[in-house]
Amino acid sequence: MTLATPVPHANDTPTLDRIWFTRCPVPTASGIAYKLGWLDEEFAGDGLPVSTLQEARQLGHHHYDHQLPGLFREGGNVPALAARAAGSPSRLIGLTWIEEWQTILVRPDSNIRSAADLRGKRLALPAWGDSRPGSIARAMSLHGYKGALASARPAPGRCATGGGGAARPGRGHHAAIGAATPVVRP
């Protein structure tokens, strides 16, 4: 969870008039607490309404840039790290880990049954976003392909690109990463 904090200027005392939160599109503790009214109850005594960026689309970019005072975010670490690296005044409050799995979907008639069968194939990727944070889905897809292709060890006596001969020294099974070509489909 990260917290966006206002950066005070000399002689300025930041005033908070609303609590904002955002989350990834999966069940989260903050999302459940919001739906049950617990966040409203908690901050009502301070006169602070609670709102979610998911209901204020015009402010959605703050999910990525963390520049909205009073914002807290519960979700994956990539947007938080990118925001902090870009100079956001975010503060890391805590990290959680959720076991997950990734999948690559193929057509039933493709004859692709394992990661090794991806060798030499074209892989679709989400398009580039309008900004670096808007391209997180693309980065996550590339990372998923990297993991899948790295798990596709070449058969003994064959290089990872599918040709004959031994794999090149120092490249090992990671040579499979370059064996599939990601492509963008609208």
Side-chain angles (χ1 to χ4, degrees):
M1 181 179 297
T2 55
L3 176 69
T5 57
V7 178
H9 298 288
N11 302 327
D12 281 351
T13 303
T15 303
L16 191 61
D17 62 358
R18 178 175 300 274
I19 299 293
W20 289 96
F21 85 92
T22 186
R23 58 183 171 51
C24 289
V26 297
T28 60
S30 57
I32 293 168
Y34 178 73
K35 290 292 184 185
L36 293 175
W38 296 350
L39 294 178
D40 289 324
E41 290 173 18
E42 179 65 30
F43 292 102
D46 298 312
L48 292 171
V50 179
S51 300
T52 174
L53 292 184
Q54 281 69 23
E55 296 171 355
R57 294 288 182 197
Q58 73 278 14
L59 299 174
H61 61 282
H62 293 302
H63 179 83
Y64 300 105
D65 71 17
H66 298 190
Q67 295 292 328
L68 183 63
L71 172 70
F72 73 90
R73 179 183 175 282
E74 184 176 3
N77 59 14
V78 173
L81 293 172
R84 182 66 180 179
S88 170
S90 295
R91 293 186 184 171
L92 175 64
I93 303 300
L95 291 175
T96 59
W97 181 261
I98 298 172
E99 288 297 324
E100 63 181 23
W101 57 275
Q102 304 290 322
T103 187
I104 297 174
L105 301 176
V106 298
R107 293 172 43 115
D109 62 352
S110 69
N111 293 323
I112 297 173
R113 301 291 179 259
S114 71
D117 295 333
L118 293 171
R119 199 172 292 123
K121 303 292 190 263
R122 292 171 40 149
L123 307 172
L125 287 172
W128 287 103
D130 293 336
S131 63
R132 183 184 309 174
S135 297
I136 288 174
R138 183 181 180 90
M140 291 173 24
S141 292
L142 281 169
H143 189 68
Y145 285 149
K146 176 183 173 186
L149 293 170
S151 73
R153 298 180 187 268
R158 297 184 54 85
C159 74
T161 58
R168 286 176 261 170
R171 303 263 327 254
H173 68 275
H174 295 287
I177 294 169
T181 306
V183 297
V184 177
R185 301 254 165 103

